[in-house]
Amino acid sequence: MNRLALSVSRGIARITESALGPYQTAVIRIGFSATWLLFLLREFPHRQELYGPDGPWSWGLAEQLIANNGAFTVLIWSDSRVWFELVYALAVLSGVLLLLGWRTRATSVLFMAGVLSLQNRSVFMGDGGDNVLHLMCIYLVFTRCAQVWSLDTRRARRASQARARGEWVGDRVGPALWGLLGSALVTATVAGWLFDGDLFVPLLLWTMWLVAAVWWVVGRRARTAQPRILLDVIANVVHNGALLVIMAEACLIYATAGWYKIQGSRWQDGTAVYYPLHLDYFSPWPALADLLSSSGTMVMLVTYGTVLVQVAFPFTLFNRRVKNVLLAAMITEHAVIAVVLGLPFFSLAMIAADAVFLPTRFLRRLGDRATRARARLAARRSRTTLPGPRRAPESAEDAHVGFTA
């Protein structure tokens, strides 16, 4: 009984004292924000046809669909072209800021609002990766995903160093951003736009705005450390719960896909991979697709291997070595899909979801190598080329000419 109580107490302490998986959540933040940002930039010339007023899925059709399913999108508030361009620009900006880890509590919420607004405006635009991004952008709001590899971490470190030197550290950007976002929430609420559909996203927006206010007040006005410790404990519990949900979601995606494949006759006879390789829509490199499908044995091995990896992966989480092998196989598979089938954003989204299972030691080494590479690059740029020695004059006449010139 004492051992059980001790184990429970250790588990509770581990969940409440720290936010687990700081490197994994940072990779998820960087991966999904980069995926969304690259998609928006690539489709920038076609944005009006995808999500704007010029699309086949007109504003009127979107309005009817939103009225039925209650999905959240700010693009339904107005059919103005200027409003669409503003929302698209803010979606790009939030992707950049979340990628850099700047004011992550606010930018993660803006990132979620941008993703949901564009995707719910035109629900038929996507290749499967949009569904993963749709879910993960909500989960990211609940995580403390800027503990490493972010501008927030650098700002916190500099503030701590300044306080150690006895300097006063102020923050004007945070309150200004909080006031700006609060004004937007109040305006949307008073106008009746925010709570016109499903209540989950509007309540989440208001909750995060109020939590930011409470966090700032406690950090500035609390006379003791207990209120801040309590907020840290709550944030750690929420973060760890969201991290568990992300891991469960990734396992569910693979398990569901694998078990559905087992029921298909093409997957059972080992020929399923052959057919998408010969579809014009999924063949950006026909010669490469023909090369991969030229061997019946290779097609059969890839078909059965895909099903085996997807079905078995959730059960390999209890064995670290087997899990890492299958994880490498799945990442390689998605990289091949990105090139051979022309689905880069689907593959990037799935690789970002897989990153939650990457070993911490591997991520630390990767971060250290990136830091050293950046330091070497900065050192090369900072080098100055000194002028070489001047040539000595060969004669007195040359010296006179050089002096008078």
Side-chain angles (χ1 to χ4, degrees), residues 389-395 398-399:
R390 298 181 62 182
R391 183 177 61 87
E394 298 179 357
S395 63
D398 291 339

Side-chain angles (χ1 to χ4, degrees), residues 130-403:
D130 57 316
N131 296 325
V132 180
L133 184 61
H134 194 102
L135 295 171
M136 295 300 177
C137 73
I138 300 175
Y139 301 151
L140 275 176
V141 174
F142 299 96
T143 63
R144 309 183 78 171
C145 54
Q147 298 178 93
V148 296
W149 301 339
S150 67
L151 295 180
D152 288 347
T153 302
R154 187 178 68 172
R155 187 180 69 253
R157 182 174 61 252
R158 291 180 176 180
S160 178
Q161 295 173 354
R163 293 190 187 96
R165 295 191 300 266
E167 300 176 2
W168 180 82
V169 179
D171 183 15
R172 297 180 180 178
V173 177
L177 182 61
W178 179 83
L180 178 63
L181 296 178
S183 300
L185 283 177
V186 170
T187 302
T189 303
V190 172
W193 301 328
L194 193 61
F195 290 93
D196 195 26
D198 187 75
L199 299 181
F200 173 75
V201 175
L203 290 178
L204 179 59
L205 296 177
W206 272 107
T207 301
M208 296 303 297
W209 185 74
L210 294 175
V211 166
V214 172
W215 197 279
W216 187 87
V217 170
V218 170
R220 296 289 179 177
R221 304 298 181 184
R223 297 181 179 180
T224 62
Q226 278 72 19
R228 182 57 184 269
I229 293 175
L230 177 61
L231 290 181
D232 277 330
V233 168
I234 296 174
N236 291 336
V237 172
V238 173
H239 165 92
N240 295 329
L243 183 61
L244 179 61
V245 171
I246 291 174
M247 298 173 67
E249 188 71 41
C251 291
L252 183 62
I253 290 173
Y254 283 116
T256 304
W259 286 108
Y260 270 108
K261 285 182 175 66
I262 289 178
Q263 302 175 34
S265 59
R266 299 304 180 187
W267 291 96
Q268 293 175 5
D269 59 26
T271 61
V273 173
Y274 176 85
Y275 298 98
L277 292 175
H278 290 81
L279 294 176
D280 293 337
Y281 186 78
F282 296 110
S283 298
W285 312 100
L288 182 58
D290 292 338
L291 177 63
L292 293 177
S293 61
S294 60
S295 173
T297 304
M298 178 64 67
V299 171
M300 182 188 66
L301 291 176
V302 173
T303 301
Y304 288 152
T306 299
V307 176
L308 177 63
V309 169
Q310 291 182 349
V311 173
F313 178 74
F315 302 100
T316 62
L317 299 180
F318 302 101
N319 190 303
R320 183 177 302 178
R321 294 181 179 179
V322 179
K323 182 262 296 183
N324 291 338
V325 172
L326 290 188
L327 186 61
M330 288 192 300
I331 293 176
T332 303
E333 177 187 359
H334 289 305
V336 173
I337 290 174
V339 177
V340 177
L341 298 183
L343 298 173
F345 300 109
F346 166 76
S347 297
L348 285 175
M350 293 306 303
I351 291 174
D354 295 339
V356 71
F357 300 105
L358 289 175
T360 301
R361 183 179 301 177
F362 169 77
L363 293 177
R364 284 181 176 177
R365 290 179 180 177
L366 186 64
D368 293 339
R369 291 182 181 180
T371 301
R372 289 195 296 267
R374 184 181 62 182
R376 287 195 297 266
L377 182 61
R380 291 179 182 178
R381 290 182 177 179
S382 62
R383 293 175 183 173
T384 56
T385 304
L386 298 177
R390 298 181 62 182
R391 183 177 61 87
E394 298 179 357
S395 63
E397 182 179 358
D398 291 339
H400 178 71
V401 170
F403 177 76

Side-chain angles (χ1 to χ4, degrees), residues 100-137:
L100 299 176
W102 184 84
R103 306 286 174 175
T104 314
R105 288 196 186 98
T107 54
S108 62
V109 176
L110 291 177
F111 179 78
M112 178 194 69
V115 172
L116 297 183
S117 295
L118 291 175
Q119 290 189 353
N120 290 334
R121 167 61 176 82
S122 298
V123 295
F124 300 107
M125 301 298 175
D127 52 11
D130 57 316
N131 296 325
V132 180
L133 184 61
H134 194 102
L135 295 171
M136 295 300 177
C137 73

